[in-house]
Amino acid sequence: MTNEFNEIPELNVGDTVTGTVVKVEEKQVLVDIGYKTEGIVPISELSSLHVELPSDVVSEGDSVTLQVKKLTDEEVVLSKRAVDAEKAWEDLEAKHDNKEVFETVVKEVVKGGLVVDVGVRGFIPASLVETYYVEDFSDYEGKSLEVIVEELDRSQNRVILSHRAVVEKEEEEKKKELLDSLEEGQVIEGTVQRLTGFGAFVDLGGIDGLVHISQLAHYHVEKASDVVSEGDKIEVEVLSVDRDNERISLSHKATLPGPWTNIGERVSQGDVLEGTVKRLVSFGAFIELFPGVEGLVHISQIANRHIGTPDEVLEVGQQVNVKVLDVNEEDERISLSIKELEQEKEQVEVKNYEKDDDHSGFQLGDVIGDQLDKYK
């Protein structure tokens, strides 16, 4: 059996020795440390965590550093846990001082959080696992997490770690990077996070921006939910960026075709449309034909008679039929007429009357003829 000692060393309780694992049994491990007898490492001294089988921790042939826990003529009891713990505490103290981020593997899910092996038993409370609420932690067992040391108390053997702090730091860095990259006029895709009475907050990938209700559509919007829903992916244009206060103003309306875009494909001269009276002015009435598209009925085109003011015939909110006289997409103007429809209606009524008269079943000559017959 080979080892690094040429003679039997003198041992004392508390000494640190290095040896080779020669046998892994059910409840203990035998180690050759060059002493007159092989050292024994009980299963309880293999790790700071609960161990089911010694073979889960070491294998035959492994070189291990151990501390002498008990020494008699018959046996030498050794501890791997004590050496690992001493080294771990020094390492954890340095990580805590430097706020170092490091990886650790979840060994066990317990009530209230996660247990990890960091040389000693480390604990991640449920509140420090994620930035959001987690219902069931069962999927975390065996998972590798990046953590920082949140709290250390060697006298209480207390090691509190946080994965949440790492995530928050990453999110903060990502937010700052995104904030610095945003420019006025930039068009990007975002996800609607939440709706309020004054608009919609949109996640741009780590930071939220506000689309004011007036910037949701080209037409008047009563409620943000009439246009978007939470979870929707929408395009927005950056209106302004306040980096000091982390406020971003956005517009969804600016990314949408205007209400007048290609209006000539939807409205033609001679079309008869239904609209809503939106405004009455001294020279006529503005009629909303489509959301954001209004046409003008000049006062001379409101009625088939002379009127002094539009409100003699119309009122705001009234539904009316209008005839399109002219469409000018470039100037965003549509000329409309109600009078022409009235005139056309009268002409149809006259024609129908004349048609009915032609087929009444008698002629003027027939009536006169009847009268003449009386004098025969």
Side-chain angles (χ1 to χ4, degrees), residues 89 92 96 102 116 118 121-125 127-128 147-153 157-163:
W89 278 109
L92 288 169
H96 181 255
F102 61 98
V116 297
V118 286
R121 184 182 188 274
F123 185 62
I124 309 176
S127 61
L128 297 183
V147 296
I148 63 167
V149 179
E150 191 76 20
E151 184 183 335
L152 278 181
D153 187 338
N157 203 35
R158 179 181 172 87
V159 180
I160 303 298
L161 307 166
S162 174
H163 173 61

Side-chain angles (χ1 to χ4, degrees), residues 9-20:
E10 181 181 337
L11 289 181
N12 296 291
V13 173
D15 287 352
T16 299
V17 296
T18 300
T20 303

Side-chain angles (χ1 to χ4, degrees), residues 208-224:
D208 288 353
L210 173 65
V211 180
H212 190 268
I213 196 165
S214 63
Q215 293 294 329
L216 281 171
H218 289 286
Y219 51 88
H220 176 70
V221 177
E222 291 289 342
K223 304 191 301 293

Side-chain angles (χ1 to χ4, degrees), residues 49 67 118 125 220 225 254 272 329 367:
L49 302 180
Q67 185 182 93
V118 286
H220 176 70
S225 57
V272 176
E329 184 174 331
V367 176

Side-chain angles (χ1 to χ4, degrees), residues 119 149 168 182 191 254 315 348:
V149 179
E168 287 176 339
L182 292 176
T191 304
E315 60 182 28
V348 170

Side-chain angles (χ1 to χ4, degrees), residues 194-211:
R194 57 193 175 93
L195 305 180
T196 69
F198 51 85
F201 283 95
V202 177
D203 177 17
L204 303 177
I207 190 169
D208 288 353
L210 173 65
V211 180

Side-chain angles (χ1 to χ4, degrees), residues 101-303:
V101 176
F102 61 98
E103 279 195 13
T104 186
V105 176
V106 177
K107 295 295 184 181
E108 191 179 354
V109 176
V110 296
K111 184 178 180 181
L114 310 174
V115 174
V116 297
D117 182 7
V118 286
V120 292
R121 184 182 188 274
F123 185 62
I124 309 176
S127 61
L128 297 183
V129 177
E130 301 289 359
T131 55
Y132 51 88
Y133 175 72
V134 179
E135 180 75 34
D136 181 10
F137 285 101
S138 57
D139 291 341
Y140 281 75
E141 189 166 332
K143 186 176 181 180
S144 180
L145 295 177
E146 286 191 326
V147 296
I148 63 167
V149 179
E150 191 76 20
E151 184 183 335
L152 278 181
D153 187 338
R154 192 165 183 173
S155 64
Q156 298 292 322
N157 203 35
R158 179 181 172 87
V159 180
I160 303 298
L161 307 166
S162 174
H163 173 61
R164 175 177 178 169
V166 177
V167 175
E168 287 176 339
K169 184 180 179 184
E170 289 175 349
E171 289 179 349
E172 193 62 34
E173 290 174 350
K174 188 177 180 182
K175 182 192 291 186
K176 185 180 184 306
E177 186 179 329
L178 178 60
L179 199 60
D180 291 341
S181 71
L182 292 176
E183 295 179 358
E184 188 176 321
Q186 186 178 354
V187 175
I188 52 179
E189 186 181 71
T191 304
V192 178
Q193 286 292 90
R194 57 193 175 93
L195 305 180
T196 69
F198 51 85
F201 283 95
V202 177
D203 177 17
L204 303 177
I207 190 169
D208 288 353
L210 173 65
V211 180
H212 190 268
I213 196 165
S214 63
Q215 293 294 329
L216 281 171
H218 289 286
Y219 51 88
H220 176 70
V221 177
E222 291 289 342
K223 304 191 301 293
S225 57
D226 292 338
V227 182
V228 293
S229 302
E230 291 183 4
D232 284 355
K233 290 192 179 299
I234 61 172
E235 280 199 334
V236 290
E237 181 178 307
V238 179
L239 298 181
S240 65
V241 181
D242 181 348
R243 291 182 172 83
D244 292 335
N245 296 302
E246 295 186 356
R247 290 180 181 171
I248 305 166
S249 296
L250 305 169
S251 173
H252 180 49
K253 176 173 72 175
T255 68
L256 302 172
W260 287 87
T261 302
N262 300 324
I263 193 68
E265 296 177 5
R266 291 181 286 163
V267 180
S268 301
Q269 184 178 349
D271 286 352
V272 176
L273 304 171
E274 184 181 55
T276 305
V277 178
K278 299 298 285 186
R279 291 177 291 142
L280 297 177
V281 292
S282 60
F283 54 85
F286 285 96
I287 313 297
E288 185 177 57
L289 303 174
F290 306 101
V293 176
E294 294 180 359
L296 173 66
V297 181
H298 190 268
I299 191 168
S300 63
Q301 293 292 328
I302 289 178

